[in-house]
């Protein structure tokens, strides 16, 4: 047969086996191989056909790398028709994850069996798509419209036993040998004279759908996934499944799939899919670099970050010791962890006994001697270089040889911290984001002397605790926080120019940011930036700069924690409300500085806030702080809630056109001063040569 699909007769059962690592995606050769095998089975001595996969998983979907390229025959729908119209029952045998087009292949089969650990799902929405090979027509026919809506709009997979309850799987196969189990199931079906069960023959009674069901779903989803069109189109497909005959429903699904696959939103989300996987790879480290075993972890400092980081490790069964300065601080830290877990229990997302089990993995101490045996230490004490150095010197004295000593610092020099020890090769930055048990990003920071296996371990353990990892070299603020500087600065400058806080934040929220920069400042505490600015000597002496942020802090308005900052907050609901007092103050301050206030367009707000971020990103690339532009996108999407549908700041810049970004920065330099606006040399070079960041990266040899 083909290289990637084999077909063999086992007695009266034909077995089609797909073998296309790593995830058996439906590339052209896989599609062709399956089609040929199904056709062959029609003419041989088989009485039934099993379709299974080699390797770690059943087919994990269409081959995403083929999207956006000219289609190649056979199309997936053609393959599915051949399966569905087979004169002999075809039985999908699922292990691993049957996702997207992979699950759609299974749904076109007459029967589906799976091992208990398998999962099935339609995650296309996470790529800005909808299931384009019958998923939206077949799932509601089997599991009902409501279940289909939940499954397809969430994109979350369902475990085999639940899928069986939903009717999506017919049989859960026990034992380790899926092929043998599937063949035996096929024999049982033949023996019982089971019919050729085709999902297309099921009809949905429109009377069972409540009036307004689809409109309500559209409204709800529009709120949940702001600015993303895929959800709306999925609802349209489900509506078609109810109202139209199967073939017309399939045609509607295909039409809407084509619309989405060519949308900028899906291109951005596919970019992030690959960027996330790429970011985990360290360019100059061989793939098989050894890692150090991490069986026990210590966290120094049980405050906001330390507690959340401890939970990350406990959640995957790794014991954690929390070290605090005194018993009171320790009990406070442990208390917050318990409270956080309790909230999850209250929401019904964690059984109570499981919570106790997780909490049981977290112990506390005030003695450094108690952490002599840990494999990894993560320091999360106050953001003070001298204190951090002191702690690392202490860790050097007590920790066993080979232990990895990591710092969660947001800004400090990881190399200086490493030099406080006699083993700088074991020191690395592991920068989590707040709340650490929730935020997906882990920015690992490579010091000058960090050993290869320490880096590889930081990336591997990050993946194990469910984080998306990206690598940064050492600089002030690393990738993410360093880029944020100009973004926050301009948000405040715009106030002086005539915007209200609400205007600035709304413009960025309309773009898709989860929260605008001023509201974000209120959430994090305006005093944090205030203190950080006081420690800096490199800021221009300009009364406009951070004027409102500074005044508000000096008035005691530190943000949400004091009930007011750029906004007022409802004490009960924490809802933000515009504050006329702040708006009047902004006008007064602008007048004092003789700044003529004016109407500022939404377009200018976006450019003023995002272009400094992109410009700094270009500098970060030139300096080799980030490995690739797509790593920066990963940092922003997973650490700063940059909208995934815009693909991250560097991808977004490529879409806007680097020449446009560069020209605007030059224009702002004239208008607002060269101390703030100076195009990065790399940006200038690419703008002038008409290239994108992605092209530049490819030319340097990155995939
Ligand atoms: N197409 C092309 N490449 C894919 C792929 C796909 N559908 N799925 C995964 N890969 C690649 C990854 O890019 C990665 O490549 P790399 O090693 O070069 O970085 C490699 O396969 C392994 O992937 P992971 O690192 O993600 O492996 P995991 O074991 O952690 O996860 C997985 C496996 C759960 C299958 C995960 O890869 C995944 O979720 N894949 C995407 C599934 C998906 O979205 N399917 C729907 C596609 S759209 C579709 O089917 C449209 C249809 O309706 C017509
Ligand atoms: P925090 O003030 O909430 O907690 C710090 C904790 O460290 C306190 O509980 C304190 O008692 C403890 N501590 C101080 N000295 C200690 C010592 N010698 N030994 C043991 N414990 C000691 O601070 P937070 O916000 O958790 O920040 C910690 C670190 O994480 C800082 O470096 C910060 O820059 C970084 N960070 C903070 C983020 C945030 O959003 N809060 C995000 C990412 C990183």
């Amino acid at each position: 047969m083909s290289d990637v699909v084999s077909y063999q007769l086992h007695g009266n059962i034909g077995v089609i086996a797909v073998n296309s690592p790593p995830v058996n995606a439906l590339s052209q050769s896989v599609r062709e191989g399956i089609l040929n095998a199904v056709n062959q089975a029609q003419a041989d001595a088989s009485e039934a056909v099993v379709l299974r996969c080699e390797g770690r998983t059943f087919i994990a979907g269409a081959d995403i790398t083929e999207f956006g390229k000219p289609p190649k025959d056979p199309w997936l729908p053609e393959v599915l028709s051949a399966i569905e119209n087979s004169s002999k029952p075809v039985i999908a045998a699922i292990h691993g994850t049957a996702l997207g087009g992979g699950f759609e292949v299974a749904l076109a089969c007459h029967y589906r069996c799976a091992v208990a650990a398998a999962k099935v799902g339609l995650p296309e929405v996470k790529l800005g798509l909808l299931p384009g090979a019958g998923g939206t027509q077949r799932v509601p026919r089997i599991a009902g419209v409501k279940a289909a809506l939940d499954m397809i709009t969430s994109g979350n997979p369902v475990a085999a036993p639940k899928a069986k309850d939903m009717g999506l799987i017919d049989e859960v196969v026990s034992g380790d040998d899926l092929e043998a189990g599937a063949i035996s199931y096929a024999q049982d079906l033949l023996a019982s004279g089971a019919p050729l069960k085709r999902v297309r023959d099921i009809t949905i009674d429109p009377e069972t759908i409540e009036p307004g069901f689809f409109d309500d779903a559209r409204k709800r989803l529009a709120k949940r996934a702001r600015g993303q069109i895929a959800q709306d189109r999925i609802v349209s497909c489900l509506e078609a499944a109810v109202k139209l005959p199967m073939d017309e429903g399939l045609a509607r699904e295909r039409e809407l799939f084509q619309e989405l696959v060519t949308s900028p939103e899906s291109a951005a989300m596919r970019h992030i899919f690959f960027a996330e996987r790429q970011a985990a790879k360290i360019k100059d480290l061989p793939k098989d670099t050894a890692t150090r075993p991490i069986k026990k972890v210590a966290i120094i400092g049980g405050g906001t970050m330390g507690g959340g980081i401890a939970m990350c490790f406990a959640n995957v069964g790794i014991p954690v010791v929390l070290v605090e300065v005194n018993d009171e601080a320790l009990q406070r830290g442990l208390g917050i962890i318990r409270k956080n877990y309790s909230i999850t229990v209250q929401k019904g997302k964690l059984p109570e006994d499981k919570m106790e089990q997780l909490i049981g993995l977290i112990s506390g101490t005030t003695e450094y001697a108690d952490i002599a045996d840990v494999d990894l230490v993560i320091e999360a004490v106050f953001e003070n270089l001298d204190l951090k150095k002191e702690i690392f010197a202490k860790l050097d004295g007590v920790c066993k040889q080979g232990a990895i000593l990591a710092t969660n610092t947001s800004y400090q020099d990881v190399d200086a911290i490493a030099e406080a020890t006699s083993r700088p090769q074991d020191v690395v930055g592991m920068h989590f984001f707040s709340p650490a048990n929730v935020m997906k990003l882990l920015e690992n920071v490579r010091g000058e002397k960090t050993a290869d296996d320490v880096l590889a371990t930081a990336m591997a353990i990050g993946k194990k605790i469910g984080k998306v990892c990206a690598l940064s070299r050492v600089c002030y603020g690393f990738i993410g926080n360093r880029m944020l500087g100009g973004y926050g600065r301009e948000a405040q400058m715009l106030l002086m120019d005539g915007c209200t806080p609400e205007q600035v934040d709304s413009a960025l929220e309309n773009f898709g940011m989860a929260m605008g920069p001023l509201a974000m400042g209120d959430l994090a505490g305006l005093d944090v930036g205030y203190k950080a600015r006081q420690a800096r000597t490199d800021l221009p002496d300009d009364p406009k700069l951070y004027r409102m942020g500074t005044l508000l802090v000096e008035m005691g308005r530190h943000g949400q924690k004091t009930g007011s900052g750029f906004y007022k907050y409802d004490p009960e609901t924490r809802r933000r409300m515009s504050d006329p007092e702040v708006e009047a103050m902004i006008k007064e301050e602008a007048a004092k500085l003789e700044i003529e206030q004016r109407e500022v367009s939404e377009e200018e707000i976006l450019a003023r806030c995002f272009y400094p971020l992109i410009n700094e990103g270009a500098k970060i690339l030139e300096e080799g702080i980030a490995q690739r532009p797509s790593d920066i996108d990963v940092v922003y999407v997973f650490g700063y809630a940059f909208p995934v549908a815009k693909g991250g700041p560097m991808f977004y810049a490529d879409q806007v056109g680097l020449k446009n970004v560069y020209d605007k920065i030059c224009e702002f330099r004239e208008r607002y001063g060269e101390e703030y606006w100076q195009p990065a040399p790399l940006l200038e070079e690419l703008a002038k040569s008409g290239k994108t960041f992605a092209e530049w990266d490819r030319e340097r040899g990155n995939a």
Side-chain angles (χ1 to χ4, degrees):
M1 282 239 82
S2 79
D3 287 350
V4 290
V5 180
S6 65
Y7 177 71
Q8 275 185 340
L9 265 180
H10 291 248
N12 60 341
I13 309 293
V15 176
I16 303 173
V18 179
N19 186 9
S20 181
V23 296
N24 293 313
L26 287 161
S27 60
Q28 190 273 339
S29 51
V30 170
R31 297 195 300 273
E32 187 176 63
I34 297 176
L35 182 62
N36 290 342
V38 172
N39 287 338
Q40 189 178 338
Q42 303 310 303
D44 69 11
S46 63
E47 291 176 54
V49 179
V50 164
L51 170 58
R52 67 169 191 87
C53 290
E54 298 284 353
R56 67 204 217 211
T57 181
F58 191 79
I59 302 163
D63 184 342
I64 305 167
T65 60
E66 285 186 359
F67 292 156
K69 296 183 186 155
K72 287 191 212 150
D73 285 340
W75 274 37
L76 189 53
E78 194 186 327
V79 181
L80 301 202
S81 283
I83 294 173
E84 194 171 49
N85 294 325
S86 161
S87 57
K88 303 166 182 181
V90 183
I91 297 126
I94 301 171
H95 75 291
T97 42
L99 298 177
F103 185 41
E104 289 173 303
V105 167
L107 289 168
C109 294
H110 304 98
Y111 294 91
R112 288 159 289 285
C113 65
V115 294
K119 288 182 179 168
V120 300
L122 295 167
E124 286 86 345
V125 70
K126 296 184 180 177
L127 299 170
L129 296 171
L130 55 79
T136 66
Q137 305 302 299
R138 290 193 175 91
V139 172
R141 280 179 163 76
I142 302 175
V145 176
K146 166 134 194 355
L149 181 77
D150 291 347
M151 186 176 190
I152 304 174
T153 58
S154 75
N156 294 333
V158 176
K162 184 170 174 211
K164 180 159 190 275
D165 291 344
M166 294 167 78
L168 295 168
I169 297 279
D170 300 292
E171 180 81 358
V172 174
V173 176
S174 54
D176 295 337
D177 189 343
L178 175 60
E179 183 179 274
I183 289 176
S184 148
Y185 176 53
Q187 299 289 15
D188 290 348
L189 288 170
L190 290 174
S192 65
L196 282 176
K197 221 170 61 170
R198 300 192 319 165
V199 177
R200 67 159 54 236
D201 298 333
I202 304 170
T203 49
I204 303 171
D205 177 3
E207 296 298 314
T208 58
I209 312 297
E210 282 171 31
F213 174 84
F214 293 112
D215 288 344
D216 290 350
R218 276 202 178 85
K219 278 187 211 135
R220 196 163 30 86
L221 292 163
K223 264 194 220 149
R224 198 174 78 191
R226 229 161 359 113
Q228 292 181 28
I229 53 172
Q231 262 86 354
D232 173 85
R233 303 304 188 267
I234 289 168
V235 177
S236 298
C237 287
L238 292 173
E239 221 170 348
V242 175
K243 293 183 181 157
L244 302 176
M246 181 78 177
D247 285 327
E248 286 175 41
L250 285 175
R252 180 89 180 112
E253 180 195 74
R254 189 115 285 268
E255 179 195 337
L256 295 176
F257 178 83
Q258 288 303 340
E259 178 197 350
L260 293 179
V261 84
T262 51
S263 68
E265 170 184 321
S266 175
M269 291 167 95
R270 278 159 13 219
H271 162 74
I272 288 296
F273 176 85
F274 289 114
E276 176 186 340
R277 281 150 184 87
Q278 183 85 331
K281 294 172 190 142
I282 303 178
K283 276 209 260 177
D284 56 336
L285 243 60
K287 228 178 144 188
D288 54 356
T289 304
T291 54
R292 299 185 190 178
I294 305 294
K295 300 214 169 79
K296 191 172 177 188
V297 175
I299 312 287
I300 316 292
T304 308
M305 294 305 291
I309 299 170
M311 292 169 77
C312 294
F313 287 94
N315 291 347
V316 296
I318 298 179
V320 186
V321 189
L322 204 62
V323 184
E324 260 293 352
V325 272
N326 54 41
D327 197 52
E328 193 193 334
L330 181 60
Q331 294 314 324
R332 191 176 54 230
L334 293 172
I336 293 172
I337 292 175
R338 175 170 283 278
K339 195 171 143 209
N340 284 338
Y341 276 130
S342 305
I343 294 171
T344 317
V345 170
Q346 278 159 23
K347 286 185 187 159
K349 291 185 181 165
L350 180 72
E352 185 122 23
D353 56 337
K354 175 83 178 157
M355 165 176 105
E356 292 304 334
Q357 202 185 323
L358 297 179
I359 289 177
L361 285 168
I362 305 175
S363 58
T365 183
T366 54
E367 299 297 328
Y368 278 68
D370 291 344
I371 60 165
D373 63 338
V374 302
D375 306 299
L376 166 67
V377 183
I378 301 176
E379 166 276 312
V381 303
F382 306 128
E383 185 70 352
N384 175 307
L385 184 59
D386 290 335
L387 175 62
K388 289 186 191 279
K389 282 188 187 165
E390 193 186 298
I391 286 174
F392 272 73
K394 228 188 247 182
L395 293 174
D396 193 21
V398 297
C399 292
K400 68 178 183 192
Q401 283 307 310
I404 295 178
L405 309 180
T407 171
N408 179 49
T409 180
S410 307
Y411 292 96
Q412 305 302 329
D413 182 345
V414 174
D415 291 326
I417 295 172
E419 287 311 322
T421 72
S422 64
R423 34 174 140 167
Q425 73 282 359
D426 294 338
V427 177
V428 67
M430 290 180 75
H431 183 210
F432 290 76
F433 287 70
S434 182
N437 53 317
V438 176
M439 291 299 287
K440 291 288 278 180
L441 182 68
L442 175 60
E443 195 181 29
N444 284 325
V445 184
R446 179 183 204 164
E448 205 49 56
K449 297 190 178 153
T450 309
D452 288 356
D453 63 341
V454 169
L455 274 181
T457 309
M459 298 306 255
I461 195 75
K463 183 164 188 201
K464 178 155 189 191
I465 60 174
K467 300 295 176 199
V468 173
C469 297
L471 187 71
S472 175
R473 287 265 185 191
V474 176
C475 66
Y476 182 78
F478 317 118
I479 298 173
N481 283 342
R482 172 171 159 183
M483 285 170 62
L484 212 53
Y487 176 72
R489 178 197 76 215
E490 285 305 308
Q492 291 204 32
M493 288 288 199
L494 282 158
L495 301 178
M496 293 290 107
D497 289 333
C499 294
T500 62
E502 190 60 51
Q503 259 175 307
V504 175
D505 283 340
S506 301
L508 290 148
E509 286 158 9
N510 292 340
F511 175 85
M513 298 298 289
M515 199 183 253
L518 301 171
M520 183 54 93
D522 274 359
L523 178 67
L526 298 180
D527 53 321
V528 178
Y530 180 87
K531 277 190 210 130
R533 290 197 293 278
Q534 279 181 328
R536 286 180 64 178
T537 51
D538 59 331
L539 293 174
D541 183 17
D542 176 356
K544 290 199 298 298
L545 187 59
Y546 301 110
R547 187 166 186 100
M548 287 308 300
T550 303
L551 285 176
L552 291 170
V553 170
E554 287 170 359
M555 290 165 70
R557 300 180 62 128
H558 292 193
Q560 285 203 21
K561 59 187 161 192
T562 58
S564 66
F566 286 107
Y567 299 94
K568 286 189 292 199
Y569 292 88
D570 183 305
E572 296 283 306
T573 61
R574 287 198 179 181
R575 198 172 65 84
R576 83 176 187 221
M577 293 171 288
S578 297
D579 189 344
E581 199 188 327
V582 173
E583 289 172 14
M585 238 174 88
I586 294 171
K587 286 202 170 76
E588 267 169 48
E589 295 304 316
K592 277 188 214 159
L593 298 177
E594 297 178 0
I595 298 171
E596 204 173 309
Q597 292 214 306
R598 60 187 167 86
E599 279 286 318
V600 182
S601 68
E602 191 150 319
E603 195 189 346
E604 178 172 341
I605 297 175
L606 294 182
R608 293 269 296 273
C609 291
F610 285 139
Y611 291 3
L613 205 126
I614 292 161
N615 199 41
E616 200 63 37
K619 289 184 196 158
I620 279 173
L621 288 172
E622 274 176 300
E623 293 168 23
I625 300 291
Q627 300 191 94
R628 349 172 152 85
S630 59
D631 285 12
I632 298 179
D633 291 332
V634 166
V635 166
Y636 264 78
V637 166
F638 294 101
Y640 298 82
F642 194 95
V644 61
K646 294 285 195 305
M650 307 317 270
F651 182 86
Y652 170 66
D654 280 349
Q655 308 311 302
V656 171
L658 297 190
K659 169 115 178 39
N660 294 329
V661 176
Y662 171 77
D663 287 348
K664 216 36 171 189
I665 290 179
C666 294
E667 184 191 318
F668 291 157
R669 178 173 56 189
E670 298 307 310
R671 267 164 61 190
Y672 305 116
E674 59 182 26
E675 64 274 44
Y676 302 120
W677 295 96
Q678 201 56 262
L682 177 63
L683 179 65
E684 180 169 357
E685 177 197 322
L686 297 179
K688 291 189 172 159
S689 58
K691 285 189 188 145
T692 60
F693 287 121
E695 282 163 351
W696 170 78
D697 196 39
R698 270 197 296 276
E699 282 171 15
R700 293 186 316 154
N702 271 340

